[in-house]
Amino acid sequence: MAAKAPDYQPLDREGHSTVRVGDYLYMWGGGQPGLLGLLNNEKKKSMCSVMEVYHLRTGRWEQKPTTGNPPLGNPPLDVKSYAAAAIGREIFYFGGYCNHDNCCHNSLYSFNVDTFNWKELSPTTSHHGPMMKAYCGMIAIKVNGKDYLVVIGGSGPSSNNTPKQPGAQYSEAKGIASSRQRCNEIHFYKLSTGQWISPTVTGDRPLPIDEFTLTSINNSK
């Protein structure tokens, strides 16, 4: 009798996110063995163009190919320390660090869990939206029946970045590259119009912050 093949397990990784939609967990990207130091080649594209899927009912992992262009940067790079949140059957990915020099993003992508297709909603740019950053928090909210993504905090390069947000604070990020700074920016992304919104913030903002967990709690009790 042939030996039973072991259950599939994803590669070790760090700096990634796992998002639940229905009975499944979806895990993408992160720093993985074999990716460090690679810039733009087919191996990196192949490793970053799959989604790791965990079925909660059976306790089994499965690796599935994706279509479209995942948020790999330009040139294609693995992305880690991004922010992720789900709305319905879509998972949204913002920003992240390329694991290369001081390269951060402020792009926004969506991933459809039914079609396994990626779509770029907002490209990385130094001209508008949140600063190019990693280690920020993102949650999904609904206001007057409209879906929004809210991006808060994070850290990124202090040069060649978006204009500073009025009222936001920026400070040197201790313990990492001195050319990076933490922020307490707050931005909304309105899905129905595809626009970044810089809101007027009243009250006390948190201090510049990164590497934290932001969670939406719907049960007011």
Side-chain angles (χ1 to χ4, degrees), residues 37-101:
L38 299 178
L39 292 183
N40 187 359
N41 61 28
E42 293 305 316
K43 178 181 179 181
K44 175 163 285 191
K45 293 178 185 178
S46 176
M47 292 179 69
C48 294
S49 295
V50 296
M51 181 69 68
E52 310 287 354
V53 183
Y54 182 78
H55 191 191
L56 293 168
R57 292 184 181 273
T58 63
R60 291 181 179 272
W61 284 100
E62 183 180 4
Q63 186 183 82
K64 293 187 176 183
T66 66
T67 58
N69 295 313
L72 302 178
N74 185 21
L77 301 164
D78 59 305
V79 174
K80 56 190 283 189
S81 305
Y82 52 81
I87 298 177
R89 306 294 290 174
E90 301 274 343
I91 304 175
F92 298 89
Y93 294 82
F94 171 80
Y97 168 54
C98 281
N99 207 29
H100 167 68
D101 295 334

Side-chain angles (χ1 to χ4, degrees), residues 27-28 38 61 64 71 73 96 119 121 123 137 160-161 205 221:
M27 182 174 73
W28 175 81
L38 299 178
W61 284 100
K64 293 187 176 183
K119 181 180 179 181
L121 302 180
N160 189 29
N161 223 325
R205 291 182 189 240
K221 296 181 180 179

Side-chain angles (χ1 to χ4, degrees), residues 106 123-132 160-164:
N106 62 358
T124 287
T125 176
S126 60
H127 303 299
H128 66 82
M131 65 183 284
M132 292 184 283
N160 189 29
N161 223 325
T162 57
K164 292 185 177 182

